[in-house]
Amino acid sequence: MKLAGKTDVGRVRQENQDDYRAGELPGGAVWALVCDGMGGARGGREASQGACNVIENVFQEQYAQCGAGQEEAFLKKALIYANRFVFQKASHEESLAGMGTTAVCALVRGGTVYLCHAGDSRAYLFRAGKLTQLTHDHSYVQELVDCGTITVEEAEHHPQKNIITKALGVDYRLEPEFTSEKLQKGDVLLLCTDGLTNMVPVDQMEKLLVQGPFYDTPDRLIEAANANGGSDNITALLLAVEPTEVEHG
């Protein structure tokens, strides 16, 4: 696997409340994580960084116990640990009250990507020139789309697009969503915050993903988001599947 990531404050916000992590694991596996904090100037940053720290520690200290077929339980546990950490910190520090963070976490091994998420940070699969969203937004606007109240096109510019229905740290209980997808050689996974998806249409992202060297792709995506307004923090994290990972699993 090849990994490339970047985060940027954007053109409007005063500070960057996004965070991301990624790393290699035993047996040729890799993991990746993107978080988008919310809840005031200090709270958003504390939430995203705290969640990333907890999830990174779970991978470092407990991944060895994640056997075949245990990927869902392992990823959900990582996000639930992070949820409790952020919730308890927000409960004990008045200046952090109400903070939370989205999270989208990927584990790639054995030719499959396993995904666990909460909120509206997304995971996409780029295959044969087409970008497909793998995660389902936990947002008020997505619920309106799901029940047929508004169209996908109307959702793009809905005034309440920023209302999240699930996030880490908001409630002591969390049920993150899990999904998985078989990978093929040449596939690219994109994990990103809404600072990218709200600014750069899918068709533009598809063009940018094939324009130049893989390791420059996060820069190209962020440059496009800023050129289109840069109204939020922007994070793009990419994982490219090389042939040997899938063929030899």
Side-chain angles (χ1 to χ4, degrees):
M1 296 290 295
K2 294 188 292 187
L3 291 162
K6 188 175 182 180
T7 187
D8 187 81
V9 69
R11 296 180 61 187
V12 174
R13 300 295 172 91
Q14 295 301 305
E15 66 170 10
N16 195 346
Q17 298 185 0
D18 287 0
D19 202 355
Y20 75 94
R21 309 288 167 87
E24 297 178 350
L25 295 163
V30 298
W31 73 282
L33 169 68
V34 165
C35 289
D36 180 357
M38 54 198 181
R42 185 176 161 222
R45 190 174 69 252
E46 290 271 353
S48 62
Q49 290 179 355
C52 281
N53 289 340
V54 170
I55 293 169
E56 185 172 26
N57 286 339
V58 171
F59 273 96
Q60 289 173 345
E61 298 171 8
Q62 301 184 37
Y63 177 71
Q65 286 80 53
C66 179
Q70 297 178 318
E71 294 87 359
E72 178 174 0
F74 176 81
L75 289 173
K76 285 187 173 180
K77 176 176 70 175
L79 265 67
I80 287 168
Y81 281 7
N83 177 69
R84 290 176 182 169
F85 173 84
V86 175
F87 179 81
Q88 288 171 345
K89 191 162 189 177
S91 301
H92 293 135
E93 294 188 46
E94 192 174 332
S95 64
L96 301 178
M99 73 174 178
T101 181
T102 69
V104 56
C105 186
L107 166 62
V108 180
R109 68 179 188 181
T112 299
V113 57
Y114 303 93
L115 291 161
C116 198
H117 82 288
D120 63 353
S121 292
R122 295 176 178 176
Y124 289 89
L125 172 65
F126 186 61
R127 175 182 292 167
K130 298 300 291 182
L131 202 58
T132 303
Q133 187 175 334
L134 300 179
T135 51
H136 191 76
D137 290 354
H138 300 136
S139 68
Y140 173 66
V141 166
Q142 184 62 55
E143 289 183 357
L144 295 179
V145 173
D146 292 344
C147 67
T149 304
I150 63 172
T151 66
V152 173
E153 291 73 25
E154 288 169 335
E156 290 297 318
H157 307 287
H158 197 282
Q160 292 169 299
K161 193 173 180 181
N162 63 333
I163 298 176
I164 306 301
T165 56
K166 188 179 289 189
L168 275 62
V170 177
D171 191 302
Y172 188 75
R173 300 170 302 279
L174 175 73
E175 184 52 45
E177 187 172 342
F178 174 84
T179 189
S180 63
E181 185 82 17
K182 284 285 183 185
L183 297 175
Q184 301 174 8
K185 60 183 179 181
D187 285 349
V188 175
L189 294 164
L190 167 64
L191 273 60
C192 59
T193 58
D194 65 346
L196 177 66
T197 53
N198 285 343
M199 290 288 108
V200 186
V202 166
D203 59 346
Q204 187 180 2
M205 282 198 276
E206 289 170 343
K207 291 171 186 168
L208 293 167
L209 284 163
V210 295
Q211 261 184 18
F214 170 78
Y215 291 106
D216 294 339
T217 309
D219 289 288
R220 291 197 299 276
L221 292 168
I222 285 170
E223 285 168 9
N226 279 324
N228 292 348
S231 65
D232 200 353
N233 307 147
I234 313 150
T235 301
L237 178 57
L238 290 105
L239 300 81
V241 182
E242 296 176 287
T244 50
E245 262 94 26
V246 175
E247 289 168 6
H248 304 296

